[in-house]
Amino acid sequence: MFKQHTIEQELSAGLQQARQQAFPDLAPVEDAATAVATGDERHGDYQCNAALALAKPLRRPPREIAQALADQLHDPERLERVTVAGPGFLNLRLRAEWLARRLELVQDDDRLGVPAPGTGRTVLLDYSSPNVAKPMHVGHIRSTVIGNALDRLHRFLGYRVVADNHLGDWGTQFGLLLLGFRHFADAAAYETEPIEELERIYVRSYNRSQEDPAWLAAARAELVKLQQGDGENRRLWASFVEHSLREFNGLYRRLDVRFDLVRGESFYNDRLPVVIDLLRQKGLAEESEGALVVRLEAEKLPVCLVQKSDSGYNYATTDLATVLSRVEEFNPAAIIYVTDERQQLHFRQVFAVSRRLGVTTRLEHVWFGLMRLPEGTFSTRQGNVIKLERLLDEAERRALEVVHQTSPAMPPAQQREVARAVGLGAVKYADLSQHPQSLVTFTWDKALALEGNSAPYLQYACARIASVQDKYREQFPGGEPRTVPIRLGAPIERTLAIKLLRFPEAVLRAAEHYRPNLLADYLFDLAQAYSTFYQNVPFLKAETGVRESRVRLCDITARTLRCGLHLLGIETPERI
Ligand code: ARG
């Protein structure tokens, strides 16, 4: 690894030091003194707003404080200019020479300058987690795509990631399924479309239980038998799980998603009584109307039910057992759950009870809003439940039409391969490029747009850069750009350089805030800066030296885009 820190971190360290020297009596806690990237180049490359916050404790005008900080910032090699602006902002402009040298190091680095702060730490990522015997709904799809991006980001940052697919493979619905299966399973349909068949059986069994108390009682009896380990019921249940997993795994393969663990809720079955004992021992649980609850008034949350009046356990009990087991087995720095917004209260309660049980591990619920899908395109008889499989087929089909237009001369097999990458990329990126908590409406036109913030746009940008590099090699055989120093003469080159050097900050921020869209925004911004660069400066016609420097910028841009897209789980075909 070539750099331990991002530019932002390095500048912040310098600012802290300046603050120390300028105001030695000020307690460090009162002052963040950090550098942040500016949105507008005219204000410098980085900005520090500490003077505004320090005005109060220091009882001095912010501009004066900013000037005092500026006077202490001795960093001539890195900083070209430090100016005080507006009410007391400190604007930092970096030296082009320094940027160029740093970019050269980035080009030689496999990690493109991204530090690995997670080294030696584990995060447990609970994502996708669909329910057995049901098709994945939109919520699970978003969880899969967002969770997988968080997985890749954390791994890249050096964390040991334990990706756990916490299948919903236990609970009351299995009594109804077992009973229903015995009465109206269609063996052939179960073989070819197991999930649809199980769903059909479930719906039929459920409906009957609503009008036939004897049926309901029989279903309960099946469930008890299952929970007590009855051989035949266990065998059938295992086959439901296996068939469902086979179908889920097909999707995961297609989406290039891999888990380290697939531990369903059933895995924790034997630990549920242990959780209840622990809660009782610690005096945390109390009886309420025959059930057992944990009061969470201090946290301003509704009571958390941990054991039902029929002494059955529920979703919260399972998640508590899961937290304890994960902490014990993996000692993670954080456990991250990715689900839709409807589970917010559930996780707040589970986290609160976990704290009371003494869990100190960071627990995070990353929730997202549900995505709206175009009317009619994928809805099944269930309304909002969609078949992901069909969505992906449709994406590839539409992408193939695009590829036929853009690359008519490409051999058909390659066209199909490109269409696969573009179609899947479009679907994933449509999801990842939005703030997870915003309400997204998916449209094909936007997802597959060749212009605009879409995967195809970024994938094409990579391919176009590759063809520019090819042209250079054709026209200047034997040229070795890496032996020529990078020069940032034109303003647009400087702009592009700064953006390239901010890649580590974008990766860190996306992981830190659990928001892959921060990386997507960065990549789109970078691709646009590159396109302005490419359109505005001569390239192959530039003088020797300048030309090679520009080829180097191309190479770093392409690698940054590819690396960033890879972190989002999106492939970048060499040629499009
Ligand atoms: N199976 C659940 C559902 O479909 C999601 C599970 C999320 N993870 C967890 N540990 N609760 O809603």
Side-chain angles (χ1 to χ4, degrees):
M1 191 182 46
F2 105 95
K3 280 286 175 196
Q4 297 289 339
H5 301 289
T6 63
I7 297 184
E8 202 171 78
Q9 289 165 341
E10 287 179 15
L11 290 175
S12 296
L15 283 160
Q16 307 281 1
Q17 219 179 7
R19 190 210 59 87
Q20 266 290 314
Q21 280 153 1
F23 311 106
D25 300 332
L26 193 71
V29 282
E30 290 180 82
D31 168 25
T34 50
V36 289
T38 54
D40 185 339
E41 273 175 287
R42 285 169 304 176
H43 300 146
D45 304 313
Y46 286 83
Q47 204 178 51
C48 172
N49 301 340
L52 301 167
L54 290 177
K56 214 170 153 197
L58 287 169
R59 283 181 219 163
R60 285 169 65 179
R63 281 189 68 97
E64 207 179 296
I65 298 170
Q67 192 54 56
L69 290 175
D71 294 343
Q72 291 296 335
L73 267 182
H74 302 296
D75 199 353
E77 210 188 303
R78 203 186 259 115
L79 295 173
E80 177 182 297
R81 207 167 59 220
V82 177
T83 44
V84 176
F89 302 125
L90 209 55
N91 292 335
L92 313 178
R93 185 176 157 91
L94 295 161
R95 200 172 278 290
E97 252 317 287
W98 183 81
L99 293 172
R101 298 294 80 76
R102 187 154 172 130
L103 259 188
E104 288 165 1
L105 294 177
V106 164
Q107 192 178 19
D108 289 338
D109 181 28
D110 285 341
R111 300 179 51 82
L112 295 160
V114 178
T119 309
R121 302 207 290 160
T122 300
V123 296
L124 195 139
L125 212 67
D126 177 323
Y127 74 94
S128 193
S129 309
N131 298 323
V132 163
K134 287 187 189 158
M136 280 199 205
H137 64 62
V138 183
H140 298 120
I141 296 160
R142 287 203 85 184
S143 172
T144 307
V145 172
I146 296 173
N148 188 245
L150 296 178
D151 178 330
R152 289 163 182 263
L153 282 163
H154 281 86
R155 274 181 220 268
F156 191 60
L157 291 173
Y159 290 91
R160 171 187 178 214
V161 175
V162 180
D164 189 2
N165 190 359
H166 188 78
L167 290 184
D169 65 354
W170 209 234
T172 47
Q173 73 270 32
F174 287 97
L176 286 165
L177 265 173
L178 286 163
L179 184 65
F181 194 85
R182 292 219 169 81
H183 283 81
F184 22 75
D186 173 338
Y190 185 51
E191 237 0 271
T192 49
E193 286 205 304
I195 297 190
E196 283 72 10
E197 177 59 8
L198 288 173
E199 203 196 2
R200 188 188 67 84
I201 293 169
Y202 176 76
V203 171
R204 202 163 148 193
S205 184
Y206 173 81
N207 289 342
R208 178 134 172 214
S209 73
Q210 295 299 90
E211 48 208 45
D212 178 354
W215 186 268
L216 185 61
R220 290 224 172 100
E222 294 295 347
L223 182 66
V224 172
K225 272 166 71 188
L226 173 69
Q227 287 171 340
Q228 289 169 348
D230 171 80
E232 182 53 21
N233 274 9
R234 279 280 178 158
R235 198 190 55 75
L236 263 184
W237 166 82
S239 118
F240 301 160
V241 175
E242 194 192 307
H243 277 92
S244 297
L245 259 181
R246 200 182 306 153
E247 187 153 326
F248 297 152
N249 282 338
L251 280 173
Y252 295 142
R253 253 194 307 279
R254 205 165 165 189
L255 293 170
D256 197 15
V257 167
R258 269 168 280 230
F259 294 97
D260 302 290
L261 297 175
V262 183
R263 283 187 183 165
E265 294 179 17
S266 63
F267 180 85
Y268 304 94
N269 185 47
D270 296 343
R271 298 162 201 253
L272 303 179
V274 183
V275 172
I276 299 300
D277 287 348
L278 202 63
L279 288 169
R280 280 188 194 275
Q281 262 172 38
K282 297 206 170 203
L284 294 171
E286 56 189 80
E287 310 273 339
S288 166
E289 295 164 33
L292 204 64
V293 301
V294 179
R295 296 198 177 282
L296 296 171
E297 269 134 19
E299 288 88 349
K300 295 200 173 61
L301 290 170
V303 290
C304 180
L305 181 69
V306 290
Q307 191 168 21
K308 294 183 274 187
S309 50
D310 66 1
S311 60
Y313 307 105
N314 65 1
Y315 191 41
T317 332
T318 310
D319 260 323
L320 288 168
T322 308
V323 170
L324 295 178
S325 157
R326 286 170 173 168
V327 169
E328 185 184 299
E329 186 173 349
F330 302 107
N331 185 28
I335 305 179
I336 303 161
Y337 300 82
V338 188
T339 82
D340 71 55
E341 59 195 358
R342 293 172 298 187
Q343 302 201 23
Q344 286 178 84
L345 176 60
H346 166 72
F347 282 111
R348 269 192 237 139
Q349 291 180 311
V350 168
F351 294 173
V353 179
S354 301
R355 297 264 166 266
R356 299 235 186 139
L357 284 170
V359 172
T360 52
T361 309
R362 178 165 166 187
L363 302 170
E364 287 284 346
H365 180 211
V366 177
W367 58 271
F368 49 82
L370 285 178
M371 183 176 330
R372 282 208 205 133
L373 294 156
E375 214 42 55
T377 319
F378 330 103
S379 43
T380 65
R381 60 193 182 286
Q382 290 288 307
N384 64 349
V385 175
I386 66 145
K387 277 283 278 176
L388 180 57
E389 204 77 55
R390 249 190 286 150
L391 175 81
L392 299 181
D393 291 344
E394 174 84 0
E396 291 184 21
R397 192 186 61 71
R398 287 177 185 251
L400 190 59
E401 279 172 21
V402 177
V403 176
H404 281 154
Q405 281 167 22
T406 52
S407 317
M410 190 183 268
Q414 197 184 347
Q415 282 180 330
R416 278 195 299 278
E417 181 50 23
V418 169
R420 190 189 57 77
V422 170
L424 292 183
V427 169
K428 288 187 183 183
Y429 193 85
D431 201 334
L432 294 169
S433 57
Q434 307 290 332
H435 189 301
Q437 292 167 9
S438 67
L439 194 112
V440 180
T441 303
F442 180 92
T443 68
W444 286 115
D445 285 348
K446 207 169 151 236
L448 283 167
L450 291 177
E451 292 301 324
N453 193 3
S454 71
Y457 169 74
L458 295 171
Q459 289 167 318
Y460 273 90
C462 291
R464 268 188 237 114
I465 299 175
S467 75
V468 169
Q469 289 171 298
D470 286 350
K471 282 204 197 99
Y472 171 80
R473 276 188 287 269
E474 262 166 42
Q475 288 188 27
F476 303 93
E480 286 197 52
R482 287 212 196 195
T483 60
V484 177
I486 291 181
R487 312 176 193 185
L488 304 172
I492 180 64
E493 288 177 297
R494 193 183 179 286
T495 305
L496 180 61
I498 283 274
K499 292 222 192 296
L500 288 169
L501 290 170
R502 281 183 186 158
F503 179 57
E505 290 163 16
V507 173
L508 280 173
R509 196 152 296 153
E512 188 189 336
H513 297 284
Y514 310 112
R515 278 181 53 191
N517 69 305
L518 296 174
L519 177 58
D521 288 348
Y522 166 82
L523 295 173
F524 181 54
D525 197 39
L526 173 64
Q528 285 182 307
Y530 173 80
S531 136
T532 312
F533 158 74
Y534 185 68
Q535 282 160 22
N536 287 286
V537 296
F539 205 90
L540 298 175
K541 292 202 179 79
E543 64 184 90
T544 306
V546 173
R547 181 173 59 233
E548 278 66 26
S549 167
R550 289 180 181 162
V551 173
R552 293 187 75 168
L553 292 178
C554 277
D555 174 61
I556 306 169
T557 305
R559 279 172 53 208
T560 304
L561 289 174
R562 286 184 200 279
C563 178
L565 286 169
H566 178 75
L567 291 176
L568 297 177
I570 294 169
E571 291 172 58
T572 46
E574 205 52 44
R575 294 282 174 275
I576 294 194

